[in-house]
Coordinates of all heavy atoms in Angstrom, one line a residue:
L297 N 0.8 -1.2 0.0 CA 0.0 0.0 0.0 C 0.9 1.2 0.0 O 1.9 1.3 0.6 CB -0.9 0.0 1.2 CG -1.9 -1.2 1.4 CD1 -2.7 -0.9 2.6 CD2 -2.7 -1.4 0.2
T298 N 0.4 2.3 -0.7 CA 1.1 3.6 -0.6 C 0.6 4.4 0.6 O -0.4 4.0 1.2 CB 0.7 4.4 -1.9 OG1 -0.7 4.7 -1.9 CG2 1.1 3.6 -3.2
R299 N 1.4 5.4 0.9 CA 1.0 6.2 2.1 C -0.4 6.9 1.9 O -1.2 7.0 2.8 CB 2.1 7.3 2.3 CG 1.7 8.4 3.3 CD 1.6 7.8 4.7 NE 1.1 8.8 5.7 CZ -0.1 9.1 6.0 NH1 -1.1 8.6 5.3 NH2 -0.4 10.0 6.9
E300 N -0.7 7.2 0.6 CA -2.0 7.9 0.3 C -3.1 6.9 0.6 O -4.2 7.4 1.0 CB -2.0 8.3 -1.1 CG -3.3 9.0 -1.6 CD -3.6 10.3 -0.9 OE1 -2.6 10.9 -0.3 OE2 -4.7 10.8 -1.0
A301 N -2.9 5.6 0.5 CA -4.0 4.7 0.8 C -4.5 4.8 2.2 O -5.7 4.8 2.5 CB -3.5 3.2 0.5
F302 N -3.6 5.0 3.2 CA -4.0 5.1 4.6 C -4.8 6.4 4.8 O -5.7 6.4 5.6 CB -2.8 5.0 5.5 CG -2.2 3.6 5.5 CD1 -1.0 3.4 4.8 CD2 -2.7 2.6 6.2 CE1 -0.4 2.1 4.7 CE2 -2.2 1.3 6.1 CZ -1.0 1.1 5.4
T303 N -4.4 7.5 4.2 CA -5.1 8.7 4.3 C -6.5 8.5 3.8 O -7.5 8.9 4.4 CB -4.4 9.8 3.5 OG1 -3.1 10.1 4.1 CG2 -5.2 11.1 3.5
L304 N -6.7 7.9 2.6 CA -8.0 7.7 2.0 C -8.9 6.8 2.9 O -10.1 7.0 3.1 CB -7.9 7.2 0.6 CG -7.3 8.2 -0.4 CD1 -7.1 7.5 -1.8 CD2 -8.1 9.4 -0.6
L305 N -8.3 5.7 3.4 CA -9.0 4.8 4.2 C -9.5 5.5 5.5 O -10.6 5.3 5.9 CB -8.1 3.6 4.6 CG -7.8 2.6 3.4 CD1 -6.8 1.6 3.8 CD2 -9.1 1.9 2.9
G306 N -8.6 6.4 6.0 CA -9.0 7.1 7.2 C -10.1 8.1 7.0 O -11.0 8.3 7.8
E307 N -10.1 8.7 5.8 CA -11.1 9.7 5.5 C -12.5 9.0 5.2 O -13.5 9.5 5.5 CB -10.7 10.5 4.2 CG -9.6 11.4 4.4 CD -9.1 12.1 3.2 OE1 -9.6 11.7 2.1 OE2 -8.2 13.0 3.2
R308 N -12.4 7.8 4.6 CA -13.7 7.2 4.1 C -14.2 6.1 5.0 O -15.4 5.8 5.0 CB -13.4 6.5 2.7 CG -13.0 7.6 1.7 CD -12.6 6.9 0.4 NE -12.1 7.9 -0.5 CZ -11.7 7.7 -1.8 NH1 -11.7 6.5 -2.3 NH2 -11.3 8.7 -2.6
M309 N -13.3 5.5 5.9 CA -13.8 4.3 6.6 C -13.4 4.4 8.1 O -13.3 3.3 8.8 CB -13.1 3.1 6.0 CG -13.5 2.8 4.6 SD -12.8 1.3 3.9 CE -13.7 0.0 4.9
A310 N -13.1 5.6 8.6 CA -12.6 5.7 10.0 C -13.4 4.9 11.0 O -12.9 4.3 12.0 CB -12.4 7.1 10.4
D311 N -14.7 4.9 10.9 CA -15.6 4.3 11.8 C -15.5 2.8 11.7 O -16.1 2.1 12.6 CB -17.1 4.7 11.6 CG -17.3 6.2 12.1 OD1 -16.4 6.7 12.9 OD2 -18.3 6.8 11.6
R312 N -14.9 2.3 10.7 CA -14.8 0.8 10.5 C -13.3 0.4 10.7 O -13.0 -0.8 10.4 CB -15.3 0.4 9.1 CG -16.7 0.9 8.8 CD -17.3 0.3 7.5 NE -17.6 -1.1 7.7 CZ -18.2 -1.9 6.8 NH1 -18.4 -1.4 5.6 NH2 -18.5 -3.1 7.0
I313 N -12.5 1.3 11.2 CA -11.1 1.0 11.5 C -10.9 1.0 13.0 O -11.4 1.9 13.7 CB -10.2 2.0 10.7 CG1 -10.3 1.7 9.2 CG2 -8.8 1.9 11.2 CD1 -9.6 2.8 8.4
L314 N -10.1 0.1 13.5 CA -9.6 0.1 14.8 C -8.1 0.0 14.8 O -7.5 -0.9 14.3 CB -10.1 -1.1 15.6 CG -9.5 -1.3 17.0 CD1 -9.9 -0.1 17.9 CD2 -9.9 -2.6 17.7
L315 N -7.5 1.1 15.2 CA -6.0 1.2 15.2 C -5.6 1.0 16.7 O -5.9 1.9 17.5 CB -5.6 2.6 14.7 CG -4.1 2.8 14.3 CD1 -3.6 1.7 13.3 CD2 -3.9 4.2 13.7
V316 N -4.9 -0.1 16.9 CA -4.4 -0.3 18.3 C -2.9 0.1 18.3 O -2.1 -0.5 17.6 CB -4.5 -1.8 18.7 CG1 -4.0 -2.1 20.1 CG2 -6.0 -2.3 18.5
M317 N -2.6 1.1 19.2 CA -1.2 1.6 19.2 C -0.7 1.6 20.6 O -1.4 1.8 21.6 CB -1.2 3.1 18.6 CG -1.7 3.2 17.2 SD -1.4 4.8 16.4 CE 0.3 4.5 15.9
A318 N 0.7 1.3 20.6 CA 1.4 1.4 21.9 C 2.2 2.7 21.9 O 2.8 3.0 20.9 CB 2.3 0.2 22.0
F319 N 2.2 3.3 23.1 CA 2.9 4.6 23.2 C 3.9 4.5 24.4 O 3.6 3.9 25.4 CB 1.9 5.7 23.5 CG 1.0 6.1 22.4 CD1 -0.2 5.3 22.1 CD2 1.2 7.2 21.6 CE1 -1.0 5.6 21.1 CE2 0.3 7.6 20.6 CZ -0.8 6.8 20.3
I320 N 5.0 5.2 24.2 CA 5.8 5.5 25.4 C 5.7 7.0 25.5 O 6.2 7.8 24.7 CB 7.3 5.1 25.1 CG1 7.3 3.6 25.0 CG2 8.2 5.6 26.3 CD1 8.7 3.0 24.8
G321 N 5.1 7.5 26.6 CA 4.7 8.9 26.7 C 3.7 9.2 25.6 O 2.7 8.5 25.5
E322 N 4.0 10.2 24.8 CA 3.1 10.5 23.7 C 3.7 10.1 22.3 O 3.2 10.4 21.3 CB 2.9 12.0 23.6 CG 2.0 12.5 24.8 CD 0.6 11.8 24.7 OE1 0.0 11.7 23.7 OE2 0.2 11.3 25.8
M323 N 4.8 9.3 22.4 CA 5.4 8.8 21.1 C 4.9 7.4 20.8 O 5.0 6.4 21.6 CB 6.9 8.7 21.3 CG 7.6 8.3 20.0 SD 9.4 8.3 20.1 CE 9.6 6.8 21.1
P324 N 4.2 7.2 19.6 CA 3.8 5.9 19.2 C 4.9 5.1 18.8 O 5.8 5.5 18.1 CB 2.8 6.2 18.1 CG 3.2 7.5 17.5 CD 3.8 8.3 18.7
V325 N 5.0 3.8 19.3 CA 6.1 3.0 19.0 C 5.7 1.7 18.3 O 6.6 0.9 17.8 CB 6.9 2.6 20.3 CG1 7.5 3.9 20.9 CG2 6.0 1.9 21.4
A326 N 4.5 1.4 18.3 CA 4.0 0.1 17.6 C 2.5 0.3 17.3 O 1.8 1.0 18.0 CB 4.3 -1.1 18.4
G327 N 2.0 -0.5 16.4 CA 0.6 -0.4 16.1 C 0.1 -1.6 15.3 O 0.9 -2.3 14.6
A328 N -1.2 -1.9 15.4 CA -1.8 -2.9 14.6 C -3.1 -2.3 14.0 O -3.9 -1.7 14.8 CB -2.2 -4.1 15.5
L329 N -3.3 -2.6 12.8 CA -4.5 -2.0 12.0 C -5.5 -3.1 11.9 O -5.2 -4.2 11.4 CB -4.1 -1.5 10.7 CG -5.2 -1.0 9.7 CD1 -5.9 0.2 10.3 CD2 -4.6 -0.7 8.4
N330 N -6.8 -2.9 12.3 CA -7.9 -3.8 12.2 C -9.0 -3.1 11.5 O -9.2 -1.9 11.5 CB -8.4 -4.2 13.6 CG -7.3 -4.8 14.4 OD1 -7.0 -6.0 14.4 ND2 -6.6 -4.0 15.2
F331 N -9.9 -3.9 10.8 CA -11.1 -3.4 10.2 C -12.3 -4.1 10.9 O -12.2 -5.3 11.2 CB -11.1 -3.7 8.7 CG -10.2 -2.8 7.9 CD1 -8.8 -3.0 7.8 CD2 -10.7 -1.7 7.3 CE1 -8.0 -2.2 7.1 CE2 -9.9 -0.8 6.6 CZ -8.5 -1.1 6.5
I332 N -13.3 -3.4 11.1 CA -14.5 -3.9 11.8 C -15.6 -4.3 10.8 O -16.1 -3.4 10.1 CB -15.0 -2.8 12.8 CG1 -13.9 -2.3 13.8 CG2 -16.2 -3.3 13.6 CD1 -14.3 -1.1 14.5
G333 N -15.9 -5.5 10.8 CA -17.0 -6.0 10.0 C -18.3 -6.2 10.8 O -18.3 -6.0 12.0
P334 N -19.4 -6.6 10.2 CA -20.6 -6.8 10.9 C -20.6 -7.9 11.9 O -21.3 -7.9 12.9 CB -21.6 -7.1 9.8 CG -20.8 -7.6 8.6 CD -19.5 -6.9 8.7
D335 N -19.7 -8.9 11.7 CA -19.6 -10.0 12.6 C -18.2 -10.4 13.0 O -18.0 -11.4 13.7 CB -20.4 -11.3 12.1 CG -19.9 -11.7 10.8 OD1 -18.9 -11.1 10.2 OD2 -20.4 -12.7 10.2
A336 N -17.2 -9.7 12.5 CA -15.8 -10.1 12.7 C -14.9 -8.9 12.8 O -15.2 -7.8 12.2 CB -15.3 -11.0 11.6
L337 N -13.8 -9.0 13.5 CA -12.7 -8.1 13.5 C -11.6 -8.7 12.7 O -11.2 -9.8 12.9 CB -12.2 -7.8 14.9 CG -11.2 -6.7 15.1 CD1 -11.8 -5.3 14.8 CD2 -10.5 -6.7 16.4
Y338 N -11.1 -7.9 11.7 CA -10.1 -8.4 10.8 C -8.8 -7.7 11.0 O -8.6 -6.5 10.9 CB -10.5 -8.1 9.3 CG -11.8 -8.7 8.9 CD1 -13.0 -8.0 9.0 CD2 -11.9 -10.0 8.4 CE1 -14.2 -8.6 8.6 CE2 -13.1 -10.6 8.0 CZ -14.3 -9.9 8.1 OH -15.4 -10.4 7.7
G339 N -7.8 -8.5 11.5 CA -6.5 -7.9 11.7 C -5.7 -7.9 10.4 O -5.7 -8.9 9.7
R340 N -5.1 -6.7 10.1 CA -4.4 -6.6 8.8 C -2.9 -6.4 8.9 O -2.1 -7.3 8.6 CB -5.1 -5.5 7.9 CG -6.4 -5.9 7.4 CD -6.4 -7.2 6.6 NE -5.5 -7.2 5.5 CZ -4.4 -8.0 5.5 NH1 -4.2 -8.9 6.4 NH2 -3.6 -7.9 4.4
Y341 N -2.5 -5.3 9.4 CA -1.1 -5.0 9.4 C -0.6 -4.6 10.8 O -1.4 -4.1 11.6 CB -0.8 -3.8 8.4 CG -1.2 -4.1 7.0 CD1 -2.3 -3.4 6.4 CD2 -0.6 -5.0 6.2 CE1 -2.7 -3.6 5.1 CE2 -1.0 -5.3 4.9 CZ -2.0 -4.6 4.4 OH -2.4 -4.9 3.1
W342 N 0.7 -4.8 11.0 CA 1.3 -4.5 12.3 C 2.7 -4.0 12.0 O 3.3 -4.3 11.0 CB 1.3 -5.7 13.2 CG 2.6 -6.1 13.7 CD1 3.6 -6.8 13.1 CD2 3.2 -5.7 15.0 NE1 4.7 -6.9 13.9 CE2 4.5 -6.2 15.1 CE3 2.7 -4.9 16.1 CZ2 5.3 -6.1 16.2 CZ3 3.6 -4.8 17.2 CH2 4.8 -5.3 17.2
G343 N 3.3 -3.2 12.9 CA 4.7 -2.8 12.8 C 5.1 -2.1 14.1 O 4.3 -1.8 15.0
A344 N 6.4 -2.0 14.3 CA 7.0 -1.3 15.5 C 8.3 -0.7 15.1 O 9.0 -1.1 14.2 CB 7.1 -2.4 16.6

């Protein structure tokens, strides 16, 4: 995915996205991207 893809997904589907992020203070150090379906949570990408 390109960087622009995440911007567009955030603009169009934010209510169907769950971003789980780990912070040290206010600095994000890791995250996992999930999508919310009608009956399932879909884990997609992670990084740190």
Side-chain angles (χ1 to χ4, degrees):
L297 301 183
T298 65
R299 172 64 183 85
E300 179 66 13
F302 292 102
T303 295
L304 293 175
L305 291 171
E307 290 174 355
R308 299 173 183 183
M309 303 183 66
D311 290 340
R312 306 190 74 180
I313 290 173
L314 172 65
L315 194 55
V316 180
M317 301 192 82
F319 292 79
I320 295 178
E322 288 303 311
M323 182 178 75
V325 295
L329 175 63
N330 305 270
F331 286 81
I332 304 167
D335 58 358
L337 186 71
Y338 301 94
R340 287 306 304 117
Y341 302 112
W342 125 278

